[in-house]
Every structure is written in C-alpha cells, then in structure tokens.
Amino acid sequence: MTSAAEPRRQRELASLYATVKSLTALGELDDVLQSIVHHAHDLIGTDFTYLSLVGADGRLSARASEGTISAEFLAATIPATVGLGGKVLASKSPHWVRDYATSTRIRHDPDFDRLVVTEELVALLGVPLVIRGEAVGALFAADRSQRSFQAEEIALLNAFADHAAVALDNARLYEESRTALRELRVAYRKIERAQAIHEALTGVVLDGGTPGDVAQHLADQLGGAVTLLDRTDSPQGTDLAEAVAEARRTGRCATTSGDGGTDHSVAAIQAGDSYLGALVWSRPSATGDDTDLRTLERATHILGLLILKERAVAEAGERLSGELLTELMVGSPGIGPAQRARARARAIDVDRLDLVLVADSPAVAPADLVRHLHDIARERAGLAGEHLGRATLILPAADEEATAAEVHKRLRRALGGPVVVVGERAGDHDWARAFTLAGRCGAVLRALGHPDGGTTTRRYALYAMVFDPERAGELDRFLAGSIGGLLEYDRKRGTDLVGTLSAYYVHRANVAATARALHLHVNTLLKRLDRAGTVLGDGWRQENDLELQLGLRLHQLRSRTP
C-alpha cells in the first residue's frame, strides 16, 4: 500500500468504525440510516448520496440523504422494478451508469427521468441492501458529471450498504420486540383486570348477592348493559334468539349486531346438559375484546353455581311447603302444634291462611303449575303444593275475588295458555272442605265451557248443589223430581232418553239439528221423543219445561264432576 493511500484507508476504517458504533446505540432507525449515508458521502466524495427502501406498496422511496438533493426528489416514489434501483434489487448486486439519461442498460421511468433532469443527476452507483437473502432497498452515490466508478468505491459503498442492512434488520427486530412487549403488557393488564372482575364477582356471591347483583356488577366493570335471561325467557329479535341458540350449542360467546350501532354478546349459563339461562352483554359496536368475552363466559360459571344453589334452596323450601300444605289438608279442621311450629319457622301465620285456590290447565301438568304457585306463596306468606293431583295454594286474603283474579293473571302470563283458578274461603281451618269445593267448582266451570278464568265458588252458587258434597241430597231430590222417571227408564232398558233430551234442548228443540248431532234418522229421533213423552206425560214440553231443562243440565254437570 502506498503512503498516499494510507490516510484514505485510515479515514475509511474510521468511518466504518463510526458506522458500526452507531449501530450498537440502538437509536431510531432513521438516525442510524442518516449516519450511514453521511459517512458514505464523506468518504466517496460524490455530489450526493441517498438511501432508498422498498415500501409495503412495492415502491422505492428515499429514507436518508446527504448533498444538495431537492425536496421533490426526496418525496418521489418509483416502482421497485424500474431504473438503476430496479436493476440492483433484481440482481442483488451493485450496478452503475456513466450517464443515467442516455443509458440503455436500464429500464427508464418517465417520472423519475424528469426528476433526474431537474436534479442534474448524471453518473449513478447503486448497491443493494440485503437482509436474509431479500433485497429491501439500495444505497446510491451520484455525481452531476459523467464518470466511472472504481472497484474500491463500489466495495466501500457496498460495505456501508451491508451496515445499513444490519441496522435495518436490528431496528425491525427491536421494534418487533418493543411491540411484543407492549402487547404483553396490555395482555397482562387485561388478565389482571379479568382476574379482579372474577374475584369481585365471587365476592358478590359470598356476600349473599343474587344473580341480578352479579349481572349488575359485571355491567359496572365491562361497561354497557348486562341482561340476565331466565331459562324460560324468549329473546327479543331473531338475531338475538339465534345468538342464544349458538351460545347454547357451542358453549362459547356468540355476538350479533343490533340496531343503533350496538353489539350483543351472549354467553349461555349451563350445568351439564341443563340450560339455566344466558347473559347478554350490550355495548357500542367495536368495543370490547376477546378478554372481555372470556370474562363474560367465566361469569356464567359463577352464575351457574349460584342459580343451582338458589334452585336447591327453593326446591327444599317448596318441598317443605308442599308437605306442610298436605299435612294441614289431611289434618283439617284444626292445626297441630308441630304444624304451627313449622309454619312459624317459615314466617307463616297459619291462622291467617283463609283462602284455598285450586289451579288447573288442560295443557300443563299440576307439578309445573305448582312451581309458579310457589313464587306467589313466598311473596304472600302462603303455602303451595300438589294435593290429590291438584295444584293448590293457601293464602291470607282480604278479598278472595281479587286474589283469585290476580293469581289467574300471573299464571296466565307465565304459562301463555288458558288456566282455571277457583278460590274458596276456609272457615275454622277447614282447608280440606274448601279444597273440595274449589276443585269441584273448577270441574263445573270446564263443563260449562269456561276453560280460562279466575273466580270463587261464590260466583257460581247457582251450581252449588253440583260441586258441594254436603248438598248432594238436595241435588238427588231435585233430579228425582225432574228427570227421575227418565233415569229409571234408561237404567232398566239400557236406553239413553236423558242424553237424547239433553241434545234436543241444546239444539233449541230443532229436530233436524238434534238428529244430525246424534247421528240418527229423524224418524228414529221422533220415536225416542215419543217414548220420553210416555215417561214424562203428554204435556212434558209445556208444563215442566224449565224444571226439566234444569234437571237435565245439572245431571250432565254432575256426571262431569269428580
């Protein structure tokens, strides 16, 4: 090496050392790239030096520069497949031209050629920035006059480009690490928040909170509104109903978008194969994340345990209520000391239990009716249970008519179908007699064609002889005087004159209509009516017509009343 080249070699090594030192500082990427370009420009001695990177859009743009380069040149972007840069990137090797404008070795871009003229760029050398086999940019040295680039200049610029590639790779890795750390911190904060919410919800349960308290606390923590759906609730809207069905099927949250920019996330509350209800979290769209949804799911586990606990307590209470009701019914009239003590333990004053209500529905089993009656019994310090196959409720009530109507209204709303509720006031603790009257009156109501309603036996006093066992003798005497002959005739001969006359009056004495209803020929019907006339007397249609019709109707009701 000549003595003249020694100082230059020392300067190159010093610049490369300074560049390497700047890499170890882990500063901002643009500052490191600018340092590399500065030292390269200082050593190579060209008019200007710049470094370009390939962006996500596949275009080259300058990231650092040194020398008198116009702002328009620095702001420009060109496709990474054209110009000298395109050749460098494609080959991943250095390339240079003596005169850019006249060179036929490169693919020209009209927009960049215009900038070349404006900037007076003539000679240009480009070396690639390669990271793990991929060309991600290029480092350029340019002069405003024609010249050739020597091998040592190309090697020197290539060395700076290698440093720039290392700096770029380190910066990207560093940024990825910082991003991962930020995400980890955010995730950790979310986990801490979810854990805090879970502990708070557990605290609500341990403090004796209800499922509604848990839902409200969850809403306070997550924001928005949280609705607790009972297992019998029907969600409003098709989308929400489908989300509930999906949550039940998958066991995970299901989200649907509602009106007004609101999202609804549903988590089913389940215990094994039993569906206990659902939580619906409503909040503005695009809020909440996966951690919040997992928190909602975990809340259903707490609610499931709480609901099962409440159900177990309620079932135990309902069982005791039903047992006590049966004991009072069987032992009435009167109250034993043990029954009085058990009632007092349940905060029930048996001396005030003066109204017996019997409920019946053609579509609902008595056991299901009793579950709804228990809710009313708890609210009104009463007893509910199933007695002799009937859903029964005993309450303290000042107004039996209003109470019967209110119980019917609540059952009707809960069942969504017809139900008959009949009440009878129990005097002197005789709940058994009140139960019998209410139950038989309910049968009379159904026989009269009234399958839905809430009332008392008092309103149907006209039919008391039918449903009151103590007045059975009165009913027997009335029937014997009005239709006794027909009953005896049918019993001895196996006929049904009573049924024939009943149909005759139901169809308002219309012979043709009655014959059609009984599937008889008119002549056959007329013969039966003549036979009835023989039993009742020739004037049976005029003399005792009203008494005869009442007798037939009461006999019909009695036959349908257990």
Side-chain angles (χ1 to χ4, degrees):
M1 183 179 297
T2 64
S3 58
E6 187 66 28
R8 178 180 177 83
R9 181 62 176 166
Q10 290 178 353
R11 285 180 57 218
E12 292 175 357
L13 291 175
S15 292
L16 288 173
Y17 174 75
T19 300
V20 172
K21 189 176 180 180
S22 69
L23 293 178
T24 63
L26 281 180
E28 293 295 330
L29 175 62
D30 288 342
D31 294 337
V32 175
L33 296 182
Q34 185 60 47
S35 173
I36 291 172
V37 170
H38 170 75
H39 288 100
H41 177 75
D42 183 55
L43 280 180
I44 294 178
T46 51
D47 292 331
F48 55 89
T49 307
Y50 64 97
L51 185 149
S52 296
L53 297 178
V54 180
D57 57 357
R59 298 177 69 85
L60 271 174
S61 60
R63 290 288 298 272
S65 65
E66 190 80 18
T68 56
I69 301 180
S70 66
E72 186 180 8
F73 186 94
L74 293 176
T77 64
I78 64 170
T81 57
V82 301
L84 187 67
K87 196 173 184 66
V88 169
L89 293 174
S91 63
K92 300 177 187 176
S93 60
H95 288 278
W96 58 271
V97 292
R98 288 177 55 83
D99 187 346
Y100 189 94
T102 61
S103 175
T104 58
R105 298 166 50 205
I106 58 176
R107 178 184 170 192
H108 286 269
D109 178 74
D111 293 331
F112 187 70
D113 286 355
R114 179 177 54 80
L115 294 174
V116 165
V117 173
T118 303
E119 192 61 39
E120 298 179 358
L121 184 153
V122 179
L124 182 63
L125 165 63
V127 295
L129 278 67
V130 180
I131 298 177
R132 288 187 285 277
E134 179 185 1
V136 298
L139 179 62
F140 297 99
D143 268 330
R144 291 189 172 88
S145 59
Q146 292 185 9
R147 60 162 292 189
S148 299
F149 290 92
Q150 303 302 315
E152 59 186 24
E153 293 176 309
I154 296 173
L156 183 60
L157 192 64
N158 216 25
F160 279 106
D162 289 341
H163 288 312
V166 173
L168 180 61
D169 194 28
N170 287 344
R172 286 179 174 176
L173 293 174
Y174 180 59
E175 183 58 32
E176 289 175 2
S177 298
R178 290 201 301 180
T179 300
L181 182 60
R182 284 196 299 269
E183 291 175 351
L184 186 61
R185 286 173 177 168
V186 170
Y188 183 71
R189 285 195 294 269
K190 289 180 178 179
I191 293 172
E192 282 189 321
R193 175 170 172 263
Q195 180 66 25
I197 293 175
H198 186 76
E199 292 176 357
L201 294 180
T202 305
V204 171
V205 176
L206 294 177
D207 290 340
T210 65
D213 296 331
V214 173
Q216 183 57 54
H217 189 80
L218 191 61
D220 294 340
Q221 297 297 318
L222 295 180
V226 176
T227 304
L228 177 61
L229 298 180
D230 186 72
R231 61 192 178 94
T232 59
D233 290 337
S234 298
Q236 298 296 319
T238 303
D239 291 344
L240 190 57
E242 291 177 351
V244 171
E246 181 181 350
R248 292 182 62 179
R249 184 177 63 256
T250 63
R252 303 302 299 269
C253 268
T255 300
T256 182
S257 296
D259 298 330
T262 302
D263 285 348
H264 305 286
S265 292
V266 180
I269 306 171
Q270 300 185 114
D273 294 332
S274 298
Y275 172 66
L276 306 177
L279 278 177
V280 181
W281 177 33
S282 304
R283 75 280 183 194
S285 296
T287 59
D289 54 25
D290 287 343
T291 304
D292 292 330
L293 297 182
R294 300 294 83 78
T295 299
L296 190 69
E297 291 174 354
R298 282 193 293 273
T300 64
H301 302 159
I302 294 175
L303 280 169
L305 292 174
L306 182 57
I307 291 172
L308 288 176
K309 171 197 166 188
E310 288 190 342
R311 180 179 291 183
V313 171
E315 287 177 351
E318 290 168 4
R319 184 172 60 254
L320 292 174
S321 175
E323 291 173 355
L324 183 54
L325 180 144
T326 298
E327 289 181 16
L328 292 178
M329 287 287 186
V330 173
S332 70
I335 310 169
Q339 284 79 34
R340 191 179 292 278
R342 290 172 61 191
R344 190 184 305 114
R346 297 175 59 82
I348 296 173
D349 184 354
V350 289
D351 293 314
R352 297 184 62 239
L353 298 177
D354 55 0
L355 181 63
V356 177
L357 297 124
V358 177
D360 182 64
S361 171
V364 181
D368 294 326
L369 284 172
V370 168
R371 277 195 285 270
H372 296 291
L373 292 180
H374 276 301
D375 294 335
I376 302 173
R378 279 191 293 270
E379 296 171 10
R380 303 185 61 159
L383 294 171
E386 186 175 342
H387 181 60
L388 299 180
R390 297 288 187 87
T392 308
L393 177 67
I394 310 177
L395 294 176
D399 187 336
E400 59 261 39
E401 288 284 353
T403 302
E406 176 61 24
V407 171
H408 167 261
K409 180 180 178 182
R410 290 187 58 171
L411 287 179
R412 186 71 166 79
R413 184 170 59 244
L415 301 176
V419 60
V420 172
V421 177
V422 179
E424 167 67 13
R425 190 167 290 281
D428 298 326
H429 303 153
D430 197 350
W431 297 289
R433 171 171 166 75
F435 168 82
T436 299
L437 294 180
R440 291 173 67 89
C441 185
V444 170
L445 284 178
R446 291 192 299 276
L448 290 171
H450 302 308
D452 190 32
T455 186
T456 64
T457 60
R458 181 182 303 176
R459 179 169 293 187
Y460 289 86
L462 175 65
Y463 300 97
M465 285 191 299
V466 178
F467 59 75
D468 187 348
E470 293 187 2
R471 301 187 65 182
E474 297 178 29
L475 180 59
D476 289 339
R477 286 190 292 274
F478 180 79
L479 293 179
S482 59
I483 63 170
L486 291 173
L487 291 171
E488 182 66 16
Y489 187 92
D490 285 343
R491 185 182 66 79
K492 288 182 177 180
R493 292 167 175 78
T495 56
D496 188 19
L497 295 182
V498 171
T500 300
L501 286 183
S502 296
Y504 178 70
Y505 284 117
V506 166
H507 292 87
R508 301 179 182 181
N510 186 309
V511 174
T514 304
R516 285 194 299 272
L518 296 175
H519 305 290
L520 297 175
H521 192 277
V522 172
N523 291 335
T524 303
L525 175 62
L526 289 174
K527 289 179 181 179
R528 288 190 182 184
L529 294 177
D530 288 341
R531 197 174 304 145
T534 303
V535 176
L536 296 172
D538 292 337
W540 67 275
R541 303 193 195 201
Q542 290 83 27
E543 296 177 0
N544 300 313
D545 188 58
L546 178 59
E547 184 178 347
L548 177 60
Q549 289 190 52
L550 286 175
L552 291 169
R553 186 60 169 152
L554 289 173
H555 172 73
Q556 184 183 46
L557 292 175
R558 171 187 258 189
S559 65
R560 297 183 184 180
T561 304

